[in-house]
Amino acid sequence: MKKSENQAITMDAVPDPIAFYDIKGKTTYINDAFTRVFGWDLEELLNNKYNFIPEEHLQETRDKLKLLLKNKKIHPLETKRFTKAGKTLNIQLNASIIKNHKGTPIGSIVIYRDITETKKIEKKLRENKEKYRSVMEAVADPIIVYDNKGLVTYFNPAFSRVFKWSLAERINKRMDDFVPEKNWPETKKMIDVLLTGTFFSGFETERFDRDGNIIPVSISASTYKDNNGKMIGSVINLQDISQRKQIEEELRHHQEHLEDLVKERTKALEKEKERAEVANKAKSEFLSNMSHEIRTPLNAVTGFSELLSFLVADEKQKSYISAIKTAGKNLLTLINDILDLSKIEAGKLEIQYSTIDLRTMIKEIEQIFALQASRKNIKFIIDISDDLPAAIRLDEIRLRQIFLNLVGNAIKFTKKGQIKLSIQTIIKNDNKKTLDLIIRVEDTGMGISNNDIETIFESFKQQAGQSNAQFGGTGLGLTICKRLIEMMNGHISVESTQGKGSIFKIVIHDVKVSSKEIPVIEQIYHLENIQFQKEKILVVDDVESNRNLLIELLTKVNLKVLTAENGHEAVLITAEYQPDIILMDIRMPIMNGIEATQQLKMNSKTKEIPIIAVTASSSTLTSSAILKKGFNGFLAKPIKITDLLSELSKYLKILKEDMAPGDITNPRWQDALESSPLETASNLVEIINTLESDFMDQWRNFKTKQPMKEVKRFANGLKDLGKSHHLDFLIKYSDHLISHVDHFDIDNMRYTIADFPEIIKKLKSAKG
C-alpha cells in the first residue's frame, strides 16, 4: 500500500501504535509509536519475524478479523499482545476495514492502545473499594452514601440493623420518607452546609425507621469528590443516641430533686469538715502540750547533767554523768521521732530549704560513726561523685536526720564487712541549675526478708524476730525518713537479701544548685572557754528548775541574772532594770511570752532589747513563725549549752574573743604547763624539734579526719614523750585527749586536738 508523505507524518504524530494490514493479514505499515511500544520495526514485520499475539488470544483475534471482513463493526476489544522483549501488555484494540474505490475490502487498520497502567489502577481501585466497603461494614454506627442527586448508592449493615431497611429496597432511591416532617427545616439547612463542602459532626436530630418509629441520632457528614474536585456525593454517619437521650430524660426527671440533695450533702460535708477541724485542732493542741510537758523536765535533766560534766573532775563520776546525758539524748531522740511523725501526719512539718555543703555534712556523718564502725571492725566507705556541686539547696537538719538514721541502722545491723555511703548526681539541664541527687547506703549486714520489706517503712514496724533488747529502736526512723524524703520531692527504695545485706536508695528530684556562698559555721563555745562582759540578762520562765539551770549556766560566763516567772513580771522588771538581753519562755500563766514580747517591742524604751524565745513547743512552732512574733532569736528546749552561748554571743560582748573552744586555759592540764619551769629546761630545743618533726604531720592529718585509733596513738606518743622528759603538762594533755577518745566525746576531742599548736607556741616563747 502506497501513501503520501503527509499521511506518514500524520500517522507518526499519533501517540497510539497503528498498523496497516493487507487482506491476508500481512503488515504493510506501522507508525513510530508501534515501534516505541512493541519494539519491532517494519522490516521485521514484513518478514514475519515476530511473535506478537499470545496463543490464548489467537482464536479471538481470528474471529474478530472475520467479523471485520464481513463489514461488521468491532467494538473496542480488550486483549493482550507481546512486545519484542517478551513483555505482555494489556491492549485496547480498535479496527476498521480499508476498501478500494470499488468498495472491495483490500485491508484493515488497527489502532492499539496500551492500557496496562490503566488496568493496574482499576485493580487498585477495586481493592480500595472493597477495603472501604469492608471498613464501613465493620463500623458499628449506621452509614449511608448518596450520590449528588440525593439517591442512595450504599448503606452498611448497621444501617439495616437500626433502621430495618435492606439495601435492595432503597438502592438508587431517595430517602425523603426517612426524615420526619418536623425535622425537614433543620435537615435542609444541614444539606446546604454540606453542599459548601464543609464537614460537620454532632448534629442532633431524629429519623424514622422502616416501621415509622422515631430514632434520635447524632449526624456527622462529609462530601466526596472526583479527580477534578467536583462533588459527586456525600457520606452520612448516624449515631443512635436513644440510650443517651433516655439517660438525659431520667436526669431531667430527677433534676427537681437535685438541689435538695446537694443541700443535704453540703450540710453533711460541712459537719464532717467541722468535726475534722475540731479533731485536727485537738491533735495540734495535744501535740503542743505533749512537746511542752515532756521537753520541760527533760530540759532540767539534760541541762544539769551537761552542767555537772563541766564541774566534776572525777572520771568515774563523769562516766555516770555521761550515762545520764546519753539516756537523755536517747529519750529526746525518741520524743522527737514521735513528735516528728505527728507533725507530718498533722501537716504541721515544713521543709526549710537552705544552702548546704553536702561534702562537709558527709564528713561529719563519717566522723560521728567512725568509732562505732571501728569497734565492730567494719569498714566505712565514703564515695562522693566529683560532679557534686559545692553548694545545693535542701533542708540541712532533715537531710542530716535521714543520714543519721540510715547509716546508724546500717552499723547497728552489720556485724562484719563494710558499709558504703555514696552520693551521685544527674544534671537535669544544660545550665546545670538543677540535679537529681542519688544517695545509697549499702551494708553487708543481716538483711531484710521479703515479707518485711513490704512493711519496713510503716510506723512502729520492725523486722520479724528482731531482738529489741539487742537492737532497740521504735520502728519510726524509716517511716519518718520516707515521709521527709517525699516532702523534699524524692523517694526511697530498698533492695535486700537476708544474710547478705541491704541497699537503701534515695532519689531526690530537681535539687537546686546554689551560687550563694555557704553560711559560715558559727563559733562553738563551751562554759570553760568563754566569758562575757558583765551585763544583765533577764530569764523569764514559769518553771523553777529551768530558771535555776539558766542561773547556774549564765553566772559561770560572767553575766548578772534577773528572773521573772511570767510575761507580766518580765514587762515590769524590764522597764525598771533595762536588761541587756532577755531569754523569754513562750508558754506561761498570766501573760505568755508572745504577749510580753509584743508589749516590750511597742515600748520605745525597751523595743531595742534583744529577746530570745526559749520554748519546749518547737514541735508546733517553727523558728520562722516565732521570729515573726517579734523575737530576735530562738532556742529550743532542752537547751544545749553550746547553742545558748552561740546565740548570746550574737548580742553580748565577749570578754576574750580570741578564746577558741578547748583553749589550753583548761585548768586540768594548763596549770601544769604554766607552772613548769620551761625556761630552764636544758632539753627544750630537743622537745620542740621532736614535737614538730614527729607529731605535727600527724596533727595536720587530723584537720580533715580524726580516726579514733590514730588519735589515741598520737596521744600515747605524746604521753611517752612527756614521761621521758618529765613534762607533767604534756602527760595531762595526753590523758585529757585519751579520755575524750575513750568516752567518744568527739567535740571535746576535736577541741583538744586543736590546742596542740598552741602548746608548741608556748614552748617556743619560753625558749626565747
Side-chain angles (χ1 to χ4, degrees), residues 125-244:
L125 287 173
R126 284 194 302 273
E127 291 174 352
N128 286 342
K129 185 177 180 181
E130 192 61 34
K131 180 174 68 176
Y132 295 142
R133 180 180 291 272
S134 298
V135 169
M136 285 197 286
E137 289 181 354
V139 173
D141 289 336
I143 294 176
I144 186 168
V145 181
Y146 296 98
D147 64 15
N148 58 0
K149 295 179 181 179
L151 302 180
V152 174
T153 61
Y154 171 79
F155 52 68
N156 66 349
F159 188 94
S160 297
R161 184 185 71 252
V162 173
F163 295 102
K164 303 176 184 177
W165 273 297
S166 67
L167 182 59
E169 290 179 288
R170 307 303 303 200
I171 192 74
N172 295 325
K173 294 179 181 178
R174 298 184 65 84
M175 290 288 288
D176 294 349
D177 53 345
F178 180 47
V179 182
E181 186 67 27
K182 65 177 181 177
N183 297 115
W184 262 114
E186 61 189 27
T187 300
K188 288 178 179 178
K189 290 180 181 179
M190 179 193 79
I191 294 171
D192 291 339
V193 171
L194 193 61
L195 290 174
T196 64
T198 304
F199 167 81
F200 64 86
S201 63
F203 172 66
E204 293 189 6
T205 185
E206 295 174 335
R207 293 292 183 262
F208 283 131
D209 68 6
R210 191 173 186 276
D211 298 331
N213 300 312
I214 291 179
I215 298 176
V217 293
S218 176
I219 293 179
S220 299
S222 64
T223 60
Y224 60 95
K225 302 175 182 179
D226 61 16
N227 293 335
N228 298 319
K230 182 181 178 182
M231 190 189 81
I232 57 175
S234 60
V235 179
I236 313 295
N237 177 283
L238 303 102
Q239 182 184 5
D240 182 358
I241 56 174
S242 301
Q243 188 174 7
R244 197 192 82 193

Side-chain angles (χ1 to χ4, degrees), residues 473-496:
T474 60
L476 289 176
L478 289 177
T479 304
I480 294 170
C481 285
K482 182 176 184 293
R483 304 283 184 88
L484 291 175
I485 291 164
E486 289 171 350
M487 291 176 71
M488 289 189 282
N489 191 27
H491 63 271
I492 183 171
S493 59
V494 59
E495 297 177 11
S496 187

Side-chain angles (χ1 to χ4, degrees), residues 494-711:
V494 59
E495 297 177 11
S496 187
T497 302
Q498 204 161 14
K500 293 186 177 180
S502 305
I503 302 173
F504 284 83
K505 179 182 176 182
I506 299 169
V507 180
I508 303 177
H509 300 285
D510 301 325
V511 177
K512 291 183 179 179
V513 177
S514 178
S515 58
K516 296 181 180 179
E517 293 186 4
I518 298 171
V520 177
I521 299 174
E522 295 179 355
Q523 174 70 48
I524 299 175
Y525 296 103
H526 290 262
L527 283 177
E528 73 268 31
N529 58 41
I530 186 172
Q531 290 285 298
F532 294 104
Q533 288 190 8
K534 197 72 175 181
E535 295 183 284
K536 296 190 294 291
I537 182 169
L538 174 60
V539 173
V540 188
D541 200 304
D542 61 320
V543 179
E544 184 179 6
S545 62
N546 289 342
R547 296 195 303 273
N548 291 339
L549 172 62
L550 289 170
I551 290 170
E552 289 293 326
L553 293 173
L554 297 171
T555 53
K556 290 189 179 300
V557 291
N558 202 36
L559 295 174
K560 182 180 179 180
V561 183
L562 307 172
T563 62
E565 295 184 17
N566 56 64
H568 179 67
E569 288 184 10
V571 172
L572 296 177
I573 293 172
T574 301
E576 182 176 355
Y577 293 97
Q578 292 290 306
D580 298 287
I581 192 168
I582 301 172
L583 296 179
M584 182 78 73
D585 189 22
I586 298 293
R587 296 182 61 172
M588 295 180 291
I590 302 176
M591 181 184 289
N592 64 41
I594 294 174
E595 293 170 339
T597 297
Q598 290 172 345
Q599 286 195 23
L600 292 171
K601 291 299 181 179
M602 291 172 64
N603 188 329
S604 59
K605 295 181 180 180
T606 58
K607 66 179 182 180
E608 299 300 329
I609 299 174
I611 304 176
I612 310 301
V614 182
T615 179
S617 301
S618 59
S619 64
T620 53
L621 289 172
T622 63
S623 59
S624 59
I626 289 174
L627 294 177
K628 289 178 182 178
K629 301 293 184 180
F631 293 95
N632 299 89
F634 167 77
L635 288 169
K637 293 179 183 178
I639 296 174
K640 293 183 180 179
I641 295 177
T642 53
D643 292 345
L644 172 64
L645 298 177
S646 295
E647 192 67 26
L648 293 176
S649 69
K650 298 176 184 178
Y651 307 99
L652 301 178
K653 294 180 181 178
I654 299 173
L655 193 61
K656 294 182 180 180
E657 291 189 34
D658 59 338
M659 219 172 206
D663 200 308
I664 56 174
T665 53
N666 190 315
R668 276 173 283 173
W669 59 272
Q670 200 275 342
D671 288 347
L673 175 60
E674 294 295 335
S675 62
S676 296
L678 299 175
E679 294 82 356
T680 59
S682 59
N683 56 355
L684 189 58
V685 174
E686 179 186 348
I687 293 168
I688 293 171
N689 289 339
T690 301
L691 290 173
E692 288 187 326
S693 61
D694 295 350
F695 292 93
M696 276 304 291
D697 285 342
Q698 296 180 56
W699 180 84
R700 290 188 186 97
N701 290 333
F702 294 153
K703 283 186 176 181
T704 55
K705 291 184 178 181
Q706 302 91 32
M708 297 295 184
K709 289 183 179 179
E710 297 299 322
V711 173

Side-chain angles (χ1 to χ4, degrees), residues 362-380:
I362 297 300
K363 287 180 182 178
E364 292 175 5
I365 297 298
E366 182 183 16
Q367 291 168 354
I368 288 170
F369 291 103
L371 182 61
Q372 294 182 51
S374 176
R375 284 176 176 171
K376 298 183 75 171
N377 200 26
I378 298 169
K379 190 175 182 181
F380 191 3

Side-chain angles (χ1 to χ4, degrees), residues 263-535:
K263 287 178 181 179
E264 290 177 7
R265 182 57 181 157
T266 301
K267 287 180 181 179
L269 289 173
E270 286 176 351
K271 289 181 180 179
E272 289 177 13
K273 182 183 177 183
E274 288 174 5
R275 285 195 292 268
E277 288 175 349
V278 170
N280 282 336
K281 185 178 180 181
K283 187 173 184 178
S284 297
E285 289 176 356
F286 171 77
L287 190 62
S288 179
N289 292 331
M290 179 86 164
S291 173
H292 187 273
E293 296 304 321
I294 295 177
R295 288 173 185 269
T296 296
L298 192 59
N299 183 57
V301 173
T302 59
F304 280 113
S305 62
E306 193 168 354
L307 178 60
L308 283 172
S309 68
F310 292 109
L311 300 176
V312 174
D314 182 77
E315 290 299 322
K316 188 173 184 179
Q317 292 177 348
K318 285 178 70 69
S319 68
Y320 294 157
I321 294 168
S322 177
I324 295 173
K325 288 169 64 178
T326 300
K329 288 180 180 178
N330 290 340
L331 180 58
L332 182 60
T333 299
L334 172 60
I335 293 167
N336 286 338
D337 280 350
I338 294 172
L339 295 177
D340 277 347
L341 184 61
S342 298
K343 284 161 65 178
I344 291 170
E345 291 180 344
K348 299 292 184 181
L349 190 144
E350 296 179 0
I351 297 298
Q352 304 289 331
Y353 287 95
S354 62
T355 301
I356 66 170
D357 179 354
L358 187 54
R359 285 187 173 85
T360 299
M361 183 185 292
I362 297 300
K363 287 180 182 178
E364 292 175 5
I365 297 298
E366 182 183 16
Q367 291 168 354
I368 288 170
F369 291 103
L371 182 61
Q372 294 182 51
S374 176
R375 284 176 176 171
K376 298 183 75 171
N377 200 26
I378 298 169
K379 190 175 182 181
F380 191 3
I381 301 169
I382 302 294
D383 182 15
I384 302 176
S385 169
D386 294 336
D387 296 332
L388 178 66
I392 58 177
R393 289 190 62 78
L394 279 172
D395 189 321
E396 182 176 7
I397 293 174
R398 297 305 176 183
L399 188 60
R400 184 180 283 107
Q401 182 178 353
I402 292 166
F403 280 129
L404 290 172
N405 192 288
L406 293 180
V407 176
N409 281 350
I411 289 179
K412 183 194 297 185
F413 296 109
T414 301
K415 291 183 178 180
K416 62 180 180 178
Q418 68 179 36
I419 294 164
K420 183 177 180 181
L421 172 57
S422 59
I423 307 292
Q424 294 176 313
T425 60
I426 299 176
I427 304 299
K428 297 298 290 292
N429 45 38
D430 294 337
N431 57 21
K432 299 183 179 180
K433 289 185 177 180
T434 59
L435 56 83
D436 284 352
L437 185 66
I438 302 172
I439 302 167
R440 284 186 176 86
V441 179
E442 307 175 39
D443 65 60
T444 56
M446 60 189 292
I448 307 166
S449 70
N450 291 334
N451 292 335
D452 289 325
I453 281 181
E454 299 296 325
T455 59
I456 198 72
F457 294 109
E458 294 180 11
S459 302
F460 304 105
K461 291 286 186 178
Q462 294 182 321
Q463 189 169 182
Q466 176 180 316
S467 170
N468 199 55
Q470 180 181 358
F471 297 109
T474 60
L476 289 176
L478 289 177
T479 304
I480 294 170
C481 285
K482 182 176 184 293
R483 304 283 184 88
L484 291 175
I485 291 164
E486 289 171 350
M487 291 176 71
M488 289 189 282
N489 191 27
H491 63 271
I492 183 171
S493 59
V494 59
E495 297 177 11
S496 187
T497 302
Q498 204 161 14
K500 293 186 177 180
S502 305
I503 302 173
F504 284 83
K505 179 182 176 182
I506 299 169
V507 180
I508 303 177
H509 300 285
D510 301 325
V511 177
K512 291 183 179 179
V513 177
S514 178
S515 58
K516 296 181 180 179
E517 293 186 4
I518 298 171
V520 177
I521 299 174
E522 295 179 355
Q523 174 70 48
I524 299 175
Y525 296 103
H526 290 262
L527 283 177
E528 73 268 31
N529 58 41
I530 186 172
Q531 290 285 298
F532 294 104
Q533 288 190 8
K534 197 72 175 181
E535 295 183 284

